[in-house]
Amino acid sequence: MTPPAYAQAAPAAPPATASGPVREAQRPNFLVIVADDLGWSDLGSFGGEIATPNLDALANSGVRFTGFHTAPTCSPTRSMLLSGVDNHEAGIGTMIETRPPSLADRPGYEGYLNDRVASIAELLQQGGYRTLMSGKWHLGLTPDRSPAARGFEHSYALLHGLGNHFGADQNAAWRKAKANPLYRQDGKLVRFPVGRYSADYFADQMIGFLEDGAHDQRPFFAYLTFSTPHWPMQAPAETIAKYKGRYDGGYEVLRAERLERQKKLGLAALDQQPHPLDGVKPWSSLTPDEKAIEARKMEVYAAMVDRMDQNVGRVIAQLKRTGQYDNTVIIFLSDNGPEGNEIDAPSQVRDVPGGAKKLGIDNRLQNIGNATSYVGYGAGWAQANSSPSWLVKGYPTEGGTRVTAFAVGKDVVGNRIARGYLSVTDIAPTLLDLAGLTQPATFKGHAILPFEGHSLVPVLAEKAAEVRAPGEPVGTELFYRRALRKGDWKAVYLPKSRSVYPRDGVGEGKWQLFKIATDPAESQDLAQSHAGKLAELVADWDRYAAQKGVALPEAAPAKAKQP
């Protein structure tokens, strides 16, 4: 810890009172909860039918965000959340699972949270906070890139992007296929307890960390990152049973029901129409057996969301038992839009004859949801869950990047909806601002990049709806797909290549233009009628790409693996 960095990241001296200095614990605690691939409308407070009473209670008493945006997939988002800068600068220019060899030595494409940034955990720890993490990491596998090395005093981390939710992927067969995940506890490799459910165990660990520090006078930063409802679709049988038959009407019906509830909740305009479905067979065209399988997938998915909510309730109950709840700011978000791929096995064995069988995978209808099943829920349900937006995870469209998010707690003006454009890069500067700290220019003896996100304190205090000027451009790129948001407008470029994530991609190979303020579903391409505006946004995107070091081959690698 260098003295200059400490001086800049330290809190100002607390004001004196008649009884002495203000206690350190009066600085706010922070609980940041991340769901993995959650759909925009999954929570009841965002239009869903799934039982999410704990998250709904928080969201409805806080401020719900209708314009909160992330990167199109998980690890880029997590790098932006923890660093406050663009993923191409923080080290996740693309997902390590899909990175072509040509980009391995390119700055910003390291595949882990790099040293050009200091994580918000590092800065808060340096500023006097106790830092805790439980759940999915996805920002580096080695000890020097683990949560313990990036500012977390205590951590229990799934290092990879996913894992079997019951820990059934750690045996010799999975290791031989190099499809087994790794876990670290306070930096040391450990095994996930086979038979426990991921959301339950991650919550257990966080509750334990909070209990162990109950008498610590420091405020805490708790980072709880569930791996639910990320595929494979697995959940405890008793939770799945709650949703038996609920989705037999199909994804078109669910999509319509959710959009109507969004309108009643004030989350969507009364005349809002959803973007047409892409790459989805009409439910009526499926056979009875196909419908049964698809409905079962969604039942399991709903149970995953339900179980995550139950565990959020357990963590909140712990904060209330220890008297810490009223002094805590809680931020909840999904890391990207819902997953739309058709999945039946891990990528390592997907094209290997008999590979899934060697891993003990059984995707028969009666087994879906159990520890030995391995399915995703597909494009139909994903697009129902992202409605009314366009597309899903992996795309810079609204369906891939506009996510469920809300804030609640100390100094947050609640019981309302905030509709401005917000970014996941805003979380780090917000936490530092609320903690009374300033970002240092250096950390551990080297320069770090300044935040490009903005503090959301004015939005939380209901003093502003936006934290960006109308003319401030915000660029995005992943898998060679591009977007530029600027005020009411958004430009999108989706290449025609189908060799990147998702495997069956959508793209016209040209720039499209949408007036996102009046067309949030990105349904009407205005590229021809507003050619000048499109040229302006494309020029802005080119500047963004040059500034951030974005790599843009003309075509994606022929055989890029899917994460």
Side-chain angles (χ1 to χ4, degrees):
M1 182 183 298
T2 63
Y6 181 82
Q8 293 182 60
T17 67
S19 59
V22 172
R23 287 168 58 88
E24 171 74 345
Q26 288 186 341
R27 298 167 71 196
N29 302 312
F30 303 122
L31 171 60
V32 175
I33 306 172
V34 182
D36 201 350
D37 294 2
L38 187 75
W40 156 253
S41 61
D42 282 336
L43 304 187
S45 48
F46 281 78
E49 73 296 326
I50 302 171
T52 54
N54 297 292
L55 286 165
D56 293 342
L58 295 172
N60 290 327
S61 63
V63 52
R64 284 171 287 169
F65 304 125
T66 64
F68 194 96
H69 289 74
T70 64
T73 65
C74 35
S75 54
T77 288
R78 291 157 201 269
S79 72
M80 295 164 73
L81 188 161
L82 291 178
S83 71
V85 305
D86 189 84
N87 58 294
H88 298 87
E89 295 177 313
I92 313 291
T94 193
M95 297 181 74
I96 187 67
E97 296 90 343
T98 66
R99 187 186 65 187
S102 60
L103 296 181
D105 297 323
R106 188 182 181 97
Y109 287 77
E110 293 89 350
Y112 53 78
L113 193 68
N114 65 27
D115 295 325
R116 297 169 70 189
V117 301
S119 80
I120 187 61
E122 290 172 315
L123 297 180
L124 288 173
Q125 182 184 51
Q126 183 170 264
Y129 272 70
R130 186 161 51 101
T131 52
L132 316 168
M133 185 259 178
S134 179
K136 174 174 165 178
W137 177 241
H138 209 185
L139 292 174
L141 302 178
T142 58
D144 59 323
R145 300 297 170 186
S146 71
R150 298 311 303 257
F152 287 99
E153 187 173 324
H154 291 294
S155 57
Y156 184 91
L158 164 62
L159 301 180
H160 288 80
L162 75 155
N164 184 291
H165 294 285
F166 292 99
D169 53 358
Q170 301 171 96
N171 59 32
W174 286 80
R175 292 195 300 271
K176 183 177 180 179
K178 298 182 179 180
N180 62 302
L182 298 177
Y183 297 84
R184 288 189 187 276
Q185 185 165 15
D186 291 342
K188 297 180 181 179
L189 287 174
V190 295
R191 282 177 58 85
F192 185 89
V194 178
R196 293 301 309 279
Y197 189 63
S198 65
D200 298 351
Y201 197 69
F202 293 152
D204 285 348
Q205 294 300 306
M206 181 56 71
I207 290 169
F209 295 154
L210 292 169
E211 286 179 343
D212 291 345
H215 300 294
D216 195 315
Q217 293 299 299
R218 294 174 295 165
F220 64 77
F221 165 49
Y223 183 51
L224 178 58
T225 56
F226 292 102
S227 57
T228 43
H230 192 293
W231 56 274
M233 300 291 104
Q234 299 166 341
E238 67 272 19
T239 311
I240 298 173
K242 293 170 61 175
Y243 297 94
K244 180 65 175 175
R246 176 61 184 82
Y247 301 103
D248 290 353
Y251 28 74
E252 293 104 333
V253 170
L254 180 66
R255 188 173 186 238
E257 291 174 346
R258 287 193 173 189
L259 182 53
E260 284 307 304
R261 282 193 291 269
Q262 290 176 43
K263 292 176 181 180
K264 291 178 181 178
L265 291 170
L267 297 167
L270 294 179
D271 61 351
Q272 179 67 60
Q273 295 298 312
H275 193 284
L277 294 172
D278 276 295
V280 176
K281 293 180 180 179
W283 188 260
S284 61
S285 72
L286 303 183
T287 67
D289 287 347
E290 289 172 331
K291 288 179 180 179
I293 291 172
E294 294 304 315
R296 175 66 174 182
K297 291 177 181 178
M298 187 61 199
E299 291 168 8
V300 177
Y301 177 88
M304 297 173 79
V305 177
D306 183 320
R307 195 75 172 206
M308 177 180 67
D309 178 83
Q310 293 179 41
N311 282 289
V312 169
R314 294 174 57 221
V315 174
I316 297 303
Q318 170 67 19
L319 296 181
K320 291 180 176 179
R321 276 195 302 270
T322 56
Q324 297 170 311
Y325 178 79
D326 290 339
N327 194 45
T328 300
V329 176
I330 301 168
I331 297 175
F332 175 90
L333 69 148
S334 176
D335 60 353
N336 44 246
E339 170 65 72
N341 266 316
E342 297 292 339
I343 297 160
D344 57 10
S347 60
Q348 292 89 342
V349 301
R350 194 167 292 132
D351 299 320
V352 177
K357 185 176 181 180
K358 291 178 181 178
L359 296 181
I361 292 173
D362 177 3
N363 290 333
R364 291 175 299 165
L365 172 62
Q366 60 268 36
N367 196 57
I368 291 175
N370 294 333
T372 51
S373 68
Y374 205 99
V375 298
Y377 72 162
W381 298 119
Q383 290 181 70
N385 296 354
S386 68
S387 181
S389 298
W390 184 27
L391 294 174
V392 292
K393 175 182 177 180
Y395 293 96
T397 57
E398 294 297 281
T401 60
R402 186 180 72 137
V403 302
T404 303
F406 63 80
V408 63
K410 182 178 173 63
D411 298 327
V412 176
V413 177
N415 301 298
R416 63 190 177 95
I417 297 170
R419 305 182 189 281
Y421 176 89
L422 307 174
S423 167
V424 69
T425 59
D426 299 334
I427 291 178
T430 300
L431 300 186
L432 215 61
D433 190 2
L434 289 169
L437 304 173
T438 56
Q439 186 190 25
T442 62
F443 185 78
K444 292 185 177 179
H446 60 82
I448 58 173
L449 294 169
F451 292 143
E452 66 182 61
H454 302 273
S455 171
L456 297 178
V457 168
V459 177
L460 301 183
E462 203 177 8
K463 294 181 178 179
E466 303 266 4
V467 292
R468 288 169 177 78
E472 180 179 341
V474 182
T476 304
E477 183 278 330
L478 192 66
F479 308 136
Y480 314 117
R481 298 172 178 142
R482 314 160 213 181
L484 191 289
R485 175 71 178 260
K486 188 175 184 180
D488 291 345
W489 294 88
K490 182 178 178 181
V492 176
Y493 180 91
L494 304 181
K496 291 183 178 180
S497 172
R498 292 175 178 266
S499 59
V500 290
Y501 187 98
R503 287 171 288 163
D504 294 322
V506 173
E508 296 188 16
K510 65 178 183 180
W511 280 101
Q512 296 172 274
L513 179 69
F514 306 99
K515 193 167 186 180
I516 207 74
T518 56
D519 180 24
E522 295 167 300
S523 296
Q524 186 178 3
D525 182 6
L526 302 176
Q528 291 187 349
S529 60
H530 292 72
K533 175 58 70 172
L534 177 60
E536 175 190 333
L537 267 63
V538 171
D540 286 333
W541 192 91
D542 289 340
R543 281 188 289 272
Y544 155 79
Q547 292 168 1
K548 305 304 180 187
V550 176
L552 276 179
E554 286 303 312
K559 294 184 178 180
K561 291 182 179 179
Q562 177 190 322

